[in-house]
Amino acid sequence: MVSRRGFLTGLALAPVAVYAAGCSIGTSAPGSVGSSATRPLPIPPLAPSTVGSDGVRRFTLRVQTGVTEMVRGSSTPTWGFSGSVLGPTVRARRGEKVAFAITNDLPEPTSVHWHGMHLPAKYDGGPHQMIAPGASWAPEWTVQQQAATLWYHPHPHGATEKHVQRGLSGLFLVDDDEADALDLPKDYGVDDIPLVIQDRRFNADGTLNETDSTDIGLLGDTIITNGIANAHLPVTTERVRLRVLNGSSGRLYNLSFADNREFQLIATDGGLLTKPVALKTIQLSPGERAELVVTLRAGENVTLRSLPITERAGVDNAAEYGLDDTFDILTLRAAPSLRTSAALPAALIPMRALAAANTPPTRAFELQWFMINNQRMDMNRIDMTIPVNTTEVWTVRNKDNWPHNFHVHDVQFQVLAIDGNPPPPALSGWKDTVYTTPGATYTLAMHFADHTDPTFPYMYHCHLLHHEDKGMMGQFLVLGPGQQPAPMQMDMGAPGGMGGMHHG
Ligand code: C2O
Ligand code: CU
Ligand code: CU
């Protein structure tokens, strides 16, 4: 069951147990064994789905344990969605109704959050939607946003870093007619490549090392891409689109190509930019995505690297947080002859500004230590209520000497300004997560269109997972006219915070 492109092995088209626990991935690909230490980049399979007469696209996911050959020749116990590690790539179109049957076969409670998705709060998959071991969860919603590279991952309060670190992350690609009409690389796994970048540390016996956390969480010394260390990407087309997710818990990446070639940034967290932007480096903090298009010549090899982080002013202990590190991420190996690709369109997807850069802020947030506005997360505290159908302007200031970022559920936002100046091109599109450098103030605009719910909140938090786990997170309700908050009260003394749920 190993394909030439190094697909995750053992995958079948059955909706459950897509690849069985105990399988390793990406092994024994012809042409790599014995000739080179690298293995072909595994391409997560597309999640199988069925569309019934009701028009609903239905997916099944199983959260499970498994064993993965993350490093060649060693076995690492891991967790995955319908497989030993990561998850299948979910794909749905704007306007489509999607439904999931998710079973938790882990020995502990987890949840599945749809990062970047605009959807009802009760299906958001945050810490209020825990799935007990052996239980199932069935969220459903209508996809109402433009084409984008989103992702899904667990969000159990206090344990997100562990669950993600053990392997639970998958991509969720939204498609729409406007993006389809553009001549962009879009052949999944051929010239449209999902690329989940993570870092891990291993013990001598191959198990994941989950000790010696830094102030920004677990930092690895080994880069894994789509679940394996030391991968290469066989390239058969002139242009390749890389849908990059920083899936690390605390590590920042400053991506560039080893020969410093230019690439085109075409999309950020929430979808395509108004036009491609030529760049030589792009920084991604945990949770952020970027779609890059790179052009190759026949027969050449070019390595995607991460360079030392330049946005470090005000960060103490930069070395301890990995900001000095250089890593090879992935080598792109172009075939002796390449299929020609169309030039990129000059214009992509228009974006309407949500607010003027000088709009007075609705709310202000200060990031410091494990706190937002001097408070740590309380599952039983609603930090703010937002009236539906409003556009809000938030300022977010990192007043710490640690790196932090800021993620908001439910919406995509626009960065209006950084310290009063217009954002750089890489931050000019739709974002749901933004890096915050110490001392700087980020002005964000976002629109809360619908999905009122007096009971279930959405989260905002630092996406450095250790910080999130330690309580650098808050909750908001989106309320309709006249609606009063009626949140659930959780008994946090119960295992996994699952017990004693009642209306407050
Ligand atoms: Cu990707 Cu609240 O998380
Ligand atoms: Cu999220
Ligand atoms: Cu943080």
Side-chain angles (χ1 to χ4, degrees):
M1 272 311 292
V2 182
S3 82
R4 282 174 302 119
R5 281 205 306 272
F7 276 52
L8 307 181
T9 58
L11 60 97
L13 291 175
V16 287
V18 173
Y19 36 107
C23 282
S24 57
I25 62 177
T27 53
S28 313
S32 73
V33 172
S35 62
S36 155
T38 67
R39 289 178 287 173
L41 182 74
I43 303 296
L46 292 173
S49 62
T50 57
V51 182
S53 53
D54 55 4
V56 179
R57 183 171 293 282
R58 292 176 193 283
F59 297 89
T60 304
L61 292 173
R62 186 166 80 102
V63 196
Q64 58 165 88
T65 63
V67 177
T68 303
E69 194 180 351
M70 286 184 147
V71 172
R72 186 197 277 277
S74 84
S75 297
T76 302
T78 49
W79 291 358
F81 293 102
S82 305
S84 73
V85 74
L86 299 177
T89 298
V90 174
R91 252 188 133 143
R93 292 190 77 77
R94 181 179 202 165
E96 208 165 39
K97 185 162 181 186
V98 294
F100 289 81
I102 302 174
T103 308
N104 178 11
D105 284 339
L106 297 178
E108 60 184 87
T110 191
S111 79
V112 182
H113 166 58
W114 316 99
H115 179 127
M117 188 71 71
H118 174 57
L119 81 176
K122 67 178 171 182
Y123 297 135
D124 191 39
H128 294 275
Q129 286 93 35
M130 297 299 291
I131 317 170
S136 297
W137 184 52
E140 52 174 57
W141 70 92
T142 300
V143 176
Q144 289 174 286
Q145 64 199 90
Q146 72 187 64
T149 302
L150 313 180
W151 64 300
Y152 59 99
H153 63 81
H155 216 297
H157 188 39
T160 295
E161 182 178 50
K162 180 176 90 174
H163 287 218
V164 172
Q165 188 80 11
R166 291 185 178 179
L168 291 170
S169 298
L171 293 179
F172 194 133
L173 308 186
V174 175
D175 296 306
D176 68 11
D177 294 347
E178 289 75 12
D180 283 357
L182 296 168
D183 205 348
L184 295 170
K186 54 180 71 131
D187 193 354
Y188 183 80
V190 178
D191 62 4
D192 183 356
I193 307 293
L195 181 60
V196 181
I197 305 177
Q198 299 172 308
D199 59 326
R200 294 290 185 273
R201 235 158 16 99
F202 296 93
N203 298 312
D205 64 358
T207 55
L208 290 172
N209 187 325
E210 298 174 347
T211 65
D212 293 331
S213 190
T214 70
D215 283 340
I216 63 160
L218 295 169
L219 275 190
D221 53 14
T222 305
I223 296 297
I224 58 170
T225 47
N226 295 354
I228 69 165
N230 217 3
H232 71 266
L233 176 70
V235 171
T236 56
T237 57
E238 217 172 41
R239 270 180 253 282
V240 179
R241 173 188 194 170
L242 301 172
R243 299 186 188 240
V244 184
L245 161 67
N246 179 349
S248 284
S249 37
R251 186 177 281 287
L252 310 176
Y253 298 99
N254 182 18
L255 300 175
S256 74
F257 289 94
D259 61 359
N260 204 30
R261 76 180 53 191
E262 219 169 62
F263 56 86
Q264 305 288 322
L265 175 71
I266 59 166
T268 51
D269 302 338
L272 293 162
L273 302 178
T274 56
K275 58 178 195 301
V277 174
L279 295 175
K280 289 184 171 176
T281 62
I282 183 164
Q283 178 181 294
L284 291 181
S285 68
E288 289 184 287
R289 286 88 64 212
E291 297 185 27
L292 320 178
V293 176
V294 58
T295 303
L296 286 99
R297 287 182 306 273
E300 74 171 344
N301 285 351
V302 59
T303 298
L304 181 67
R305 282 218 164 124
S306 182
L307 300 175
I309 304 301
T310 52
E311 276 191 69
R312 59 166 66 204
V315 177
D316 276 1
N317 305 326
E320 191 197 329
Y321 306 147
L323 305 192
D324 289 339
D325 296 346
T326 298
F327 286 107
D328 284 355
I329 306 285
L330 178 74
T331 299
L332 283 65
R333 288 193 194 158
S337 76
L338 298 176
R339 198 179 84 203
T340 47
S341 312
L344 287 184
L348 298 171
I349 301 291
M351 185 172 86
R352 174 185 59 88
L354 286 177
N358 59 358
T359 309
T362 324
R363 301 167 203 278
F365 301 84
E366 288 192 328
L367 312 180
Q368 191 172 37
W369 197 56
F370 298 132
M371 301 185 299
I372 300 177
N373 290 344
N374 293 311
Q375 284 190 303
R376 289 168 80 172
M377 167 81 161
D378 179 344
M379 294 273 291
N380 290 324
R381 183 187 70 232
I382 297 299
D383 295 278
M384 58 203 193
T385 59
I386 295 175
V388 73
N389 196 27
T390 50
T391 297
E392 297 215 339
V393 174
W394 295 7
T395 58
V396 180
R397 177 164 170 261
N398 180 354
K399 59 172 208 173
D400 213 342
N401 50 14
W402 287 350
H404 294 293
N405 69 11
F406 193 76
H407 168 52
V408 188
H409 287 210
D410 180 41
V411 292
Q412 293 289 333
F413 54 74
Q414 294 172 354
V415 181
L416 297 185
I418 302 173
D419 284 337
N421 302 311
L427 296 179
S428 64
W430 292 106
K431 297 284 296 169
D432 57 49
T433 307
V434 67
Y435 178 69
T436 65
T437 205
T441 299
Y442 297 73
T443 308
L444 316 176
M446 63 204 87
H447 185 69
F448 297 88
D450 49 16
H451 298 322
T452 61
D453 191 329
T455 301
F456 290 103
Y458 296 103
M459 310 291 129
Y460 56 94
H461 56 90
C462 177
H463 214 288
L464 277 62
L465 299 180
H466 177 63
H467 292 181
E468 173 184 343
D469 284 341
K470 288 286 187 186
M472 198 167 187
M473 177 155 63
Q475 326 192 82
F476 64 94
L477 294 169
V478 177
L479 295 179
Q483 232 172 15
Q484 292 305 312
M488 290 282 197
Q489 296 299 310
M490 311 263 306
D491 174 3
M492 294 311 291
M498 305 267 313
M501 238 194 267
H502 57 87
H503 267 282

